[in-house]
Amino acid sequence: MTTVLLIDDHELIRQGLAGAFAQADGFEVAGQAGSVEEGLSLAREIGPDVIVTDIRLPDGSGLDVVRALRKESRDTGLVVLTMYAGDEQLFAAMDAGASAFVGKDAPTTTVISAARQAAVSPLTFSCTGLGEAMIRRMSSGAPRLSDRERQVLELLAEGLGVTAIAGRLFLSESTAKSHIGRIYEKLGAANRAQALVTAMRLGLISSATRPV
């Protein structure tokens, strides 16, 4: 059973989500909170598998919840749910370490699917329209990958680590790490999985390559 914590300051929305999860197979709502402080406290107390949080909360941002809990755990699914689903909010959620980003205008089935995916792959970012958002970001003057960065990206896609990449390209490990860091920054990714998912959707690596 996948346990879920819901964080939203609107009780009606929380109750609606709670009802949707109650009807979905394999989920149990373990708690509800209406603020950042209450959400963090409950999350640490009950240790849910997935947390679904609104961005706008009375005492801060749901992204504060995401950042804090991602630092504490790589295994918790973190779904950001918001009615302000613009590119800026999407990339902010990705950078914070969220597992998924869903607009409040999306059907509850989409929220359930995002939570299910987040429970399985908490470090892989998913969002409808991510590819289009990345294209808009790239075409709006964001820097492109250099030839060397593309080589490093391809080796990341093959599953190679820093040491292996450095050896393959005859680089020092510190230089390889620097290239990887710049790739993450340019793709708006927090980790390898996010970088590869984004790169695949942008056509920077083959769609046949599966992120690791």
Side-chain angles (χ1 to χ4, degrees), residues 149-165:
E149 287 164 354
R150 284 179 176 271
Q151 291 176 328
V152 172
L153 178 63
E154 290 172 359
L155 294 178
L156 284 172
E158 291 180 18
L160 274 63
V162 173
T163 301
I165 290 173

Side-chain angles (χ1 to χ4, degrees), residues 47-128:
D49 299 309
V50 177
I51 295 169
V52 179
T53 181
D54 188 13
I55 284 186
R56 295 200 174 186
L57 296 168
D59 58 342
S61 169
L63 298 184
D64 295 331
V65 174
V66 172
R67 292 188 192 95
L69 296 180
R70 179 56 73 222
K71 287 181 180 179
E72 297 173 12
S73 172
R74 295 170 57 86
D75 301 322
T76 303
L78 299 169
V79 178
V80 173
L81 182 64
T82 178
M83 65 173 54
Y84 305 98
D87 288 358
E88 182 179 349
Q89 291 78 17
L90 186 160
F91 290 121
M94 177 188 286
D95 292 341
S99 309
F101 181 85
V102 183
K104 281 188 174 178
D105 57 347
T108 54
T109 52
T110 300
V111 181
I112 299 296
S113 295
R116 201 179 299 280
Q117 177 65 26
V120 175
S121 301
L123 299 181
T124 299
F125 184 77
S126 65
C127 173
T128 301

Side-chain angles (χ1 to χ4, degrees), residues 139-152:
S139 63
S140 65
R144 305 276 182 173
L145 297 184
S146 68
D147 290 341
R148 176 65 82 186
E149 287 164 354
R150 284 179 176 271
Q151 291 176 328
V152 172

Side-chain angles (χ1 to χ4, degrees), residues 85-103 110 117 121 123-139 184-204 211:
D87 288 358
E88 182 179 349
Q89 291 78 17
L90 186 160
F91 290 121
M94 177 188 286
D95 292 341
S99 309
F101 181 85
V102 183
T110 300
Q117 177 65 26
S121 301
L123 299 181
T124 299
F125 184 77
S126 65
C127 173
T128 301
L130 175 60
E132 292 84 351
M134 286 300 306
I135 290 172
R136 286 192 293 272
R137 172 186 265 195
M138 297 287 280
S139 63
Y184 288 180
E185 181 179 356
K186 289 182 178 182
L187 296 181
N191 52 56
R192 177 199 294 252
Q194 290 181 6
L196 295 183
V197 168
T198 300
M200 187 167 61
R201 288 177 177 172
L202 289 173
L204 297 176

